[in-house]
CSV table of all heavy atoms in Angstrom, one decimal:
chain,number,residue,atom,x,y,z
K,299,LYS,N,64.3,138.9,-14.7
K,299,LYS,CA,63.2,137.9,-14.8
K,299,LYS,C,61.8,138.6,-14.5
K,299,LYS,O,60.8,138.2,-15.1
K,299,LYS,CB,63.3,136.8,-13.7
K,299,LYS,CG,64.4,135.8,-14.0
K,299,LYS,CD,64.4,134.7,-12.9
K,299,LYS,CE,65.6,133.8,-13.0
K,299,LYS,NZ,66.8,134.5,-12.4
K,300,GLU,N,61.8,139.6,-13.6
K,300,GLU,CA,60.6,140.3,-13.3
K,300,GLU,C,60.1,141.1,-14.5
K,300,GLU,O,58.9,141.3,-14.7
K,300,GLU,CB,60.7,141.2,-12.1
K,300,GLU,CG,60.8,140.4,-10.8
K,300,GLU,CD,60.8,141.3,-9.6
K,300,GLU,OE1,60.0,142.3,-9.6
K,300,GLU,OE2,61.6,141.0,-8.7
K,301,VAL,N,61.1,141.6,-15.3
K,301,VAL,CA,60.7,142.5,-16.4
K,301,VAL,C,60.2,141.6,-17.6
K,301,VAL,O,59.4,142.1,-18.3
K,301,VAL,CB,62.0,143.2,-16.9
K,301,VAL,CG1,61.7,144.2,-18.0
K,301,VAL,CG2,62.6,144.0,-15.7
K,302,VAL,N,60.6,140.4,-17.7
K,302,VAL,CA,60.2,139.6,-18.8
K,302,VAL,C,59.1,138.5,-18.5
K,302,VAL,O,58.7,137.7,-19.3
K,302,VAL,CB,61.4,138.9,-19.5
K,302,VAL,CG1,62.4,140.0,-20.0
K,302,VAL,CG2,62.0,137.9,-18.6
K,303,ARG,N,58.7,138.4,-17.2
K,303,ARG,CA,57.9,137.3,-16.7
K,303,ARG,C,56.6,137.2,-17.6
K,303,ARG,O,56.3,136.0,-17.9
K,303,ARG,CB,57.5,137.6,-15.3
K,303,ARG,CG,56.6,136.4,-14.7
K,303,ARG,CD,56.0,136.7,-13.4
K,303,ARG,NE,57.1,136.9,-12.4
K,303,ARG,CZ,57.2,138.0,-11.6
K,303,ARG,NH1,56.3,139.0,-11.7
K,303,ARG,NH2,58.2,138.2,-10.8
K,304,ASP,N,56.0,138.3,-18.0
K,304,ASP,CA,54.7,138.2,-18.7
K,304,ASP,C,54.9,138.0,-20.2
K,304,ASP,O,53.9,137.8,-20.9
K,304,ASP,CB,53.9,139.4,-18.4
K,304,ASP,CG,53.3,139.4,-17.0
K,304,ASP,OD1,52.9,138.3,-16.6
K,304,ASP,OD2,53.3,140.4,-16.3
K,305,ALA,N,56.1,138.0,-20.7
K,305,ALA,CA,56.3,137.8,-22.1
K,305,ALA,C,56.5,136.4,-22.5
K,305,ALA,O,57.2,135.6,-21.7
K,305,ALA,CB,57.5,138.6,-22.6
K,306,ASP,N,55.9,135.9,-23.6
K,306,ASP,CA,56.0,134.5,-24.0
K,306,ASP,C,57.4,134.3,-24.5
K,306,ASP,O,58.1,133.3,-24.3
K,306,ASP,CB,55.0,134.1,-25.1
K,306,ASP,CG,53.6,134.2,-24.6
K,306,ASP,OD1,53.3,133.4,-23.7
K,306,ASP,OD2,52.8,135.0,-25.1
K,307,VAL,N,57.9,135.3,-25.3
K,307,VAL,CA,59.2,135.2,-26.0
K,307,VAL,C,59.9,136.6,-25.9
K,307,VAL,O,59.2,137.6,-26.0
K,307,VAL,CB,58.9,134.9,-27.5
K,307,VAL,CG1,60.2,135.0,-28.3
K,307,VAL,CG2,58.2,133.6,-27.7
K,308,VAL,N,61.2,136.5,-25.7
K,308,VAL,CA,62.0,137.7,-25.6
K,308,VAL,C,63.2,137.6,-26.4
K,308,VAL,O,63.9,136.6,-26.4
K,308,VAL,CB,62.4,137.9,-24.1
K,308,VAL,CG1,63.2,139.2,-23.9
K,308,VAL,CG2,61.3,137.8,-23.1
K,309,THR,N,63.6,138.7,-27.1
K,309,THR,CA,64.9,138.8,-27.7
K,309,THR,C,65.7,139.8,-27.0
K,309,THR,O,65.1,140.8,-26.5
K,309,THR,CB,64.9,139.2,-29.2
K,309,THR,OG1,64.3,140.5,-29.3
K,309,THR,CG2,64.1,138.3,-30.1
K,310,PHE,N,67.0,139.7,-26.9
K,310,PHE,CA,67.8,140.7,-26.4
K,310,PHE,C,69.2,140.7,-27.1
K,310,PHE,O,69.6,139.7,-27.6
K,310,PHE,CB,67.9,140.7,-24.9
K,310,PHE,CG,68.8,139.5,-24.3
K,310,PHE,CD1,70.1,139.6,-24.2
K,310,PHE,CD2,68.1,138.3,-24.0
K,310,PHE,CE1,70.9,138.6,-23.7
K,310,PHE,CE2,68.9,137.2,-23.6
K,310,PHE,CZ,70.3,137.4,-23.4
K,311,CYS,N,69.9,141.9,-27.0
K,311,CYS,CA,71.1,142.0,-27.7
K,311,CYS,C,72.3,141.9,-26.8
K,311,CYS,O,72.3,142.5,-25.7
K,311,CYS,CB,71.2,143.4,-28.4
K,311,CYS,SG,70.0,143.6,-29.7
K,312,LEU,N,73.3,141.2,-27.2
K,312,LEU,CA,74.6,141.1,-26.5
K,312,LEU,C,75.5,142.3,-26.9
K,312,LEU,O,76.4,142.6,-26.2
K,312,LEU,CB,75.3,139.8,-26.8
K,312,LEU,CG,74.6,138.5,-26.4
K,312,LEU,CD1,75.2,137.3,-27.0
K,312,LEU,CD2,74.6,138.4,-24.9
K,313,SER,N,75.2,142.8,-28.1
K,313,SER,CA,76.1,143.8,-28.7
K,313,SER,C,75.7,145.2,-28.5
K,313,SER,O,76.2,146.1,-29.2
K,313,SER,CB,76.1,143.5,-30.2
K,313,SER,OG,74.8,143.5,-30.8
K,314,LYS,N,74.8,145.5,-27.6
K,314,LYS,CA,74.4,146.9,-27.3
K,314,LYS,C,75.2,147.2,-26.0
K,314,LYS,O,76.4,147.2,-26.0
K,314,LYS,CB,72.9,147.0,-27.1
K,314,LYS,CG,72.1,146.7,-28.4
K,314,LYS,CD,72.0,147.9,-29.3
K,314,LYS,CE,71.5,147.6,-30.7
K,314,LYS,NZ,70.1,147.5,-30.8
K,315,GLY,N,74.5,147.5,-24.9
K,315,GLY,CA,75.2,147.9,-23.7
K,315,GLY,C,76.1,146.8,-23.0
K,315,GLY,O,76.9,147.2,-22.2
K,316,LEU,N,75.9,145.6,-23.5
K,316,LEU,CA,76.8,144.5,-22.9
K,316,LEU,C,78.1,144.3,-23.6
K,316,LEU,O,78.9,143.5,-23.2
K,316,LEU,CB,76.0,143.2,-22.8
K,316,LEU,CG,74.6,143.3,-22.1
K,316,LEU,CD1,74.0,141.9,-22.0
K,316,LEU,CD2,74.8,143.8,-20.7
K,317,ALA,N,78.3,145.1,-24.6
K,317,ALA,CA,79.7,145.3,-25.2
K,317,ALA,C,80.2,144.1,-26.0
K,317,ALA,O,81.4,144.0,-26.3
K,317,ALA,CB,80.7,145.8,-24.2
K,318,ALA,N,79.4,143.0,-26.2
K,318,ALA,CA,79.9,141.9,-27.0
K,318,ALA,C,80.0,142.4,-28.5
K,318,ALA,O,79.3,143.3,-28.9
K,318,ALA,CB,78.9,140.7,-26.9
K,319,PRO,N,80.8,141.7,-29.3
K,319,PRO,CA,81.0,142.1,-30.6
K,319,PRO,C,79.8,141.8,-31.5
K,319,PRO,O,79.6,142.5,-32.5
K,319,PRO,CB,82.3,141.4,-31.1
K,319,PRO,CG,82.5,140.3,-30.2
K,319,PRO,CD,81.9,140.7,-28.9
K,320,ILE,N,79.2,140.7,-31.2
K,320,ILE,CA,78.1,140.1,-32.2
K,320,ILE,C,77.1,139.4,-31.4
K,320,ILE,O,77.4,138.7,-30.4
K,320,ILE,CB,78.8,139.0,-33.1
K,320,ILE,CG1,79.9,139.6,-33.9
K,320,ILE,CG2,77.7,138.4,-34.0
K,320,ILE,CD1,80.6,138.6,-34.8
K,321,GLY,N,75.8,139.5,-31.8
K,321,GLY,CA,74.9,138.5,-31.4
K,321,GLY,C,73.7,138.9,-30.5
K,321,GLY,O,73.8,139.9,-29.8
K,322,SER,N,72.7,138.1,-30.6
K,322,SER,CA,71.5,138.3,-29.8
K,322,SER,C,70.9,136.9,-29.4
K,322,SER,O,71.3,135.9,-30.0
K,322,SER,CB,70.4,139.1,-30.6
K,322,SER,OG,70.7,140.4,-30.7
K,323,LEU,N,70.0,136.9,-28.5
K,323,LEU,CA,69.4,135.7,-28.0
K,323,LEU,C,67.9,135.8,-28.2
K,323,LEU,O,67.4,136.9,-28.0
K,323,LEU,CB,69.7,135.5,-26.5
K,323,LEU,CG,71.0,134.6,-26.2
K,323,LEU,CD1,70.9,133.2,-26.7
K,323,LEU,CD2,72.2,135.3,-26.5
K,324,VAL,N,67.3,134.7,-28.5
K,324,VAL,CA,65.8,134.6,-28.4
K,324,VAL,C,65.6,133.6,-27.3
K,324,VAL,O,66.2,132.5,-27.2
K,324,VAL,CB,65.2,134.1,-29.7
K,324,VAL,CG1,63.7,134.0,-29.6
K,324,VAL,CG2,65.6,134.9,-30.9
K,325,VAL,N,64.7,133.9,-26.3
K,325,VAL,CA,64.3,132.9,-25.3
K,325,VAL,C,62.8,132.7,-25.2
K,325,VAL,O,62.1,133.6,-25.5
K,325,VAL,CB,64.9,133.3,-23.9
K,325,VAL,CG1,66.4,133.4,-23.9
K,325,VAL,CG2,64.3,134.6,-23.4
K,326,GLY,N,62.4,131.5,-24.8
K,326,GLY,CA,61.0,131.2,-24.7
K,326,GLY,C,60.9,129.7,-24.3
K,326,GLY,O,61.8,129.1,-23.7
K,327,SER,N,59.8,129.1,-24.6
K,327,SER,CA,59.5,127.7,-24.2
K,327,SER,C,60.4,126.8,-25.0
K,327,SER,O,60.8,127.1,-26.1
K,327,SER,CB,58.0,127.4,-24.3
K,327,SER,OG,57.7,127.3,-25.7
K,328,HIS,N,60.6,125.5,-24.5
K,328,HIS,CA,61.3,124.5,-25.3
K,328,HIS,C,60.6,124.4,-26.7
K,328,HIS,O,61.3,124.3,-27.7
K,328,HIS,CB,61.3,123.2,-24.6
K,328,HIS,CG,62.2,123.1,-23.4
K,328,HIS,ND1,63.5,123.3,-23.6
K,328,HIS,CD2,61.9,122.9,-22.1
K,328,HIS,CE1,64.1,123.2,-22.4
K,328,HIS,NE2,63.1,122.9,-21.5
K,329,GLU,N,59.3,124.3,-26.7
K,329,GLU,CA,58.5,124.0,-27.9
K,329,GLU,C,58.7,125.2,-28.9
K,329,GLU,O,59.0,125.0,-30.1
K,329,GLU,CB,57.1,123.8,-27.5
K,329,GLU,CG,56.1,123.5,-28.6
K,329,GLU,CD,55.5,124.7,-29.3
K,329,GLU,OE1,55.4,125.8,-28.6
K,329,GLU,OE2,55.2,124.6,-30.5
K,330,PHE,N,58.6,126.4,-28.4
K,330,PHE,CA,58.8,127.6,-29.2
K,330,PHE,C,60.2,127.6,-29.8
K,330,PHE,O,60.4,127.8,-31.0
K,330,PHE,CB,58.5,128.9,-28.5
K,330,PHE,CG,59.0,130.1,-29.2
K,330,PHE,CD1,58.1,130.7,-30.2
K,330,PHE,CD2,60.2,130.6,-29.1
K,330,PHE,CE1,58.6,131.7,-31.0
K,330,PHE,CE2,60.7,131.7,-29.8
K,330,PHE,CZ,59.8,132.3,-30.8
K,331,ILE,N,61.2,127.4,-29.0
K,331,ILE,CA,62.6,127.5,-29.5
K,331,ILE,C,62.9,126.5,-30.5
K,331,ILE,O,63.6,126.7,-31.5
K,331,ILE,CB,63.6,127.5,-28.3
K,331,ILE,CG1,63.5,128.8,-27.4
K,331,ILE,CG2,65.0,127.3,-28.7
K,331,ILE,CD1,63.9,130.1,-28.1
Side-chain angles (χ1 to χ4, degrees):
K299 288 186 192 72
E300 286 187 43
V301 182
V302 302
R303 182 187 300 126
D304 285 321
D306 296 298
V307 173
V308 184
T309 62
F310 69 89
C311 293
L312 298 166
S313 55
K314 299 271 167 83
L316 304 183
I320 302 173
S322 285
L323 270 300
V324 182
V325 298
S327 70
H328 286 301
E329 181 271 334
F330 168 83
I331 291 294

